[in-house]
Amino acid sequence: MGRGGEPRRVQAYDGELGAAVARAQEGDEAAFAVAYRLVQPGLLGYLRGIVGDDAEDVASDAWLEIARDLGRFKGDGAGFRGWTATIGRHRALDHLRRLKVRPRSAALEQDVLDLPGPHSTHDQALESISTDHALELVRGLPRDQAEAVLLRVVVGLDGPSAARVLGKRPGAVRTAAYRGLKRLAQQLGVESVTDDDPRTLGESKQ
């Protein structure tokens, strides 16, 4: 895990992502394809946690808006991930309003989850969230906790960035992420998370 609880695998691509976005803003279609490839997995996982099986359709709508408004974006690779998550969230909420339903809470599929063993760590519990079945588990959390966990772990945003996407104070998002991860860890049979301080999920100073 990287600084602030972000997955290293996401952080590692931010330099490449920022460069690709800058080239895409100059009209380089191949660079836009690179940016899409780097962002789409995390964005799709986040949307799947909100709208379930409709995530790909919502993501397609989001990318149309992202491509249309790309010239207005200002920021680096991490900023682009936050910006795309905000657009995706708006499209997902629009989709739910059209359906006039709340996000569905999935039944826990413990028998098909890749459960960590008794000596697993907090980090391993977080890594397991990237699986489809674990995303279903996340969807069973209260909405604020689910979105906080998805933005922090799946999209890889830091605390302040996740707070901007959700329109909340960083402390509130940090607490929601902590509570959600604690609940998930308990369901996954990981005990160490219960001793963690919620401040470890965000920057030390807000």
Side-chain angles (χ1 to χ4, degrees):
M1 299 297 289
R3 174 175 170 269
E6 296 178 58
R8 287 194 199 94
R9 65 178 182 274
V10 174
Q11 287 181 318
Y13 296 130
D14 276 347
E16 181 183 356
L17 176 58
V21 170
R23 293 196 307 272
Q25 289 180 312
E26 297 171 357
D28 186 334
E29 293 184 6
F32 185 83
V34 170
Y36 173 87
R37 176 174 56 81
L38 292 173
V39 170
Q40 173 69 351
L43 181 64
L44 192 61
Y46 172 50
L47 295 175
R48 189 172 291 124
I50 303 176
V51 300
D53 294 339
D54 295 329
E56 291 194 11
D57 290 340
V58 172
S60 295
D61 290 342
W63 279 105
L64 289 174
E65 183 173 341
I66 291 163
R68 185 193 70 200
D69 295 343
L70 185 63
R72 298 209 297 258
F73 170 75
K74 289 180 172 57
D76 58 8
F80 186 72
R81 282 191 285 115
W83 184 65
T84 55
T86 299
I87 291 174
R89 182 174 192 264
H90 290 162
R91 297 285 70 77
L93 296 180
D94 286 346
H95 176 77
L96 293 175
R97 277 192 289 269
R98 285 196 298 271
L99 295 179
K100 295 183 179 179
V101 296
R102 292 184 174 185
R104 291 159 289 179
S105 292
L108 305 186
E109 300 181 43
Q110 293 284 2
D111 58 324
V112 291
L113 279 170
D114 182 16
L115 294 174
H119 302 296
S120 295
T121 65
H122 182 187
D123 286 354
Q124 288 172 304
L126 300 187
E127 289 297 324
S128 73
I129 291 173
S130 63
T131 69
D132 287 343
H133 292 308
L135 282 172
E136 288 294 309
L137 192 64
V138 172
R139 290 178 64 209
L141 294 172
R143 175 68 172 274
D144 63 328
Q145 294 179 19
E147 285 206 66
V149 169
L150 290 164
L151 287 172
R152 295 303 311 279
V153 179
V154 178
V155 181
L157 300 184
D158 62 18
S161 297
R164 283 193 291 273
V165 172
L166 297 174
K168 295 182 178 181
R169 293 171 58 90
V173 175
R174 198 163 54 241
T175 299
Y178 169 73
R179 289 175 177 167
L181 289 171
K182 181 177 179 180
R183 181 178 298 194
L184 286 173
Q186 290 170 339
Q187 291 170 344
L188 290 167
V190 180
E191 297 179 359
S192 60
V193 71
T194 60
D195 298 324
D196 286 355
D197 189 299
R199 285 174 297 183
T200 63
L201 291 170
E203 313 316 317
S204 57
K205 295 180 181 178
Q206 298 291 355

